[in-house]
Amino acid sequence: MSARPRALRGMAAVVLDTDGVITDSARLHAAAWKTAFDAYLRDHPPAGPAQRRPFDAQEDYLRYVDGKSRMDGAAAFLESRGLRLPDAELQAVAESKERLFTGRLREHGVNAYEGTVRLLHALRSAGVPLAAASASRHARELIEHAGVLDLFDALVDGGEAARLHLPGKPDPALFLEAARRLGVPASRTAVVEDALAGVEAGRRGGFGLVVGVDRARTPQTRAELLKHGADVVVRDLAELLTDSDCPKG
């Protein structure tokens, strides 16, 4: 059995988010949200001119949508533009995004990040239990398509979250359920997330280590991940495999 990466020593299990952590599907989600939100803002312009600007697929996605359920993400972004919609209208926006995402997924597909795959294999070799956790109902399909489903001992996706009535991030319920399925307490489990809501959930859940993944690779996004609860921020999970200490906040 191999030694586990030094950055994760002391952790008996690892729970990873899917979009933007395991697979490169976050770009597809962001693009689908942009099309859906821009159409809604065009057809239902907010009162203030500044609130009518198009959805930013990087900044707005990370701040309001990433890591959340479709309904929660739609509500959070539209409320930031001064729009409080009834559930039926929110559902229509969320369903539009879902159709767009599914179409992009079928057209472009997704891959697993190479650095993440290397880390997963290293952890499996070290005997560390692994779980994937995601608010997305597509999580199993994404991980399977990317060829890494067999590396995980447990998966808690959006369908399971709905079945169990788990609240969405930043509530830690999704991650706590994943840790429970691995049979390891949160205090000895690491959470790996790229979303602000996700790292906040890891902190609220009392997890032993919260790793933030900064795919945008900017000082601002790194600072936001640390502010919301990340203990460590990396640009790629392969950084956790190096002998040198990981960058700290």
Side-chain angles (χ1 to χ4, degrees):
M1 185 177 291
S2 326
R4 70 191 63 196
R6 183 165 66 175
L8 297 173
R9 287 178 191 167
M11 296 295 102
V14 180
V15 176
L16 300 94
D17 177 50
T18 301
D19 298 303
V21 173
I22 301 170
T23 64
D24 65 356
S25 44
R27 62 186 171 83
L28 301 184
H29 283 291
W33 277 120
K34 178 170 177 57
T35 301
F37 282 139
D38 286 355
Y40 190 87
L41 292 172
R42 182 182 63 247
D43 294 342
H44 307 84
Q51 294 177 314
R52 299 173 197 160
R53 68 188 184 279
F55 177 80
D56 188 304
Q58 180 170 307
E59 183 177 341
D60 288 331
Y61 178 73
L62 291 173
R63 183 169 297 279
Y64 300 112
V65 178
D66 193 17
K68 299 179 181 178
S69 70
R70 289 197 301 274
M71 289 289 283
D72 288 347
F77 171 71
L78 291 169
E79 284 177 13
S80 79
R81 299 300 178 87
L83 300 172
R84 289 182 175 271
L85 276 59
D87 284 350
E89 281 191 63
L90 279 178
Q91 186 67 42
V93 175
E95 287 176 355
S96 174
K97 179 267 172 181
E98 174 69 0
R99 289 191 297 272
L100 291 161
F101 174 78
T102 301
R104 284 176 166 83
L105 179 60
R106 289 172 180 166
E107 181 179 356
H108 301 289
V110 295
N111 296 308
Y113 288 103
E114 182 180 346
T116 300
V117 175
R118 289 174 57 199
L119 178 66
L120 291 173
H121 280 291
L123 292 171
R124 291 293 291 182
S125 295
V128 178
L130 300 171
S134 174
S136 172
R137 293 175 182 266
H138 294 283
R140 179 177 293 275
E141 177 186 2
L142 290 168
I143 295 171
E144 187 170 23
H145 187 279
V148 293
L149 182 61
D150 61 340
L151 297 176
F152 293 95
D153 302 288
L155 169 65
V156 185
D157 62 7
E160 280 292 276
R163 183 180 69 82
L164 297 171
H165 304 289
L166 301 179
K169 304 169 192 176
D171 191 285
L174 191 72
F175 291 148
L176 291 171
E177 174 63 18
R180 185 192 70 77
R181 294 186 183 193
L182 294 177
V184 179
S187 61
R188 298 195 62 215
T189 300
V191 163
V192 185
E193 255 284 6
D194 69 316
L196 300 181
V199 295
E200 186 175 336
R203 177 57 53 235
R204 288 189 186 185
F207 284 85
L209 180 71
V210 181
V211 178
V213 183
D214 179 17
R215 298 292 183 194
R217 303 187 176 200
T218 71
Q220 294 78 17
T221 50
R222 173 185 166 82
E224 283 293 307
L225 287 165
L226 291 168
K227 178 181 176 182
H228 280 76
D231 298 303
V232 173
V233 175
V234 296
R235 294 171 299 175
D236 185 271
L237 289 180
E239 293 175 37
L240 298 178
L241 294 169
T242 64
D243 291 333
S244 59
D245 290 332
C246 293
K248 300 286 183 177

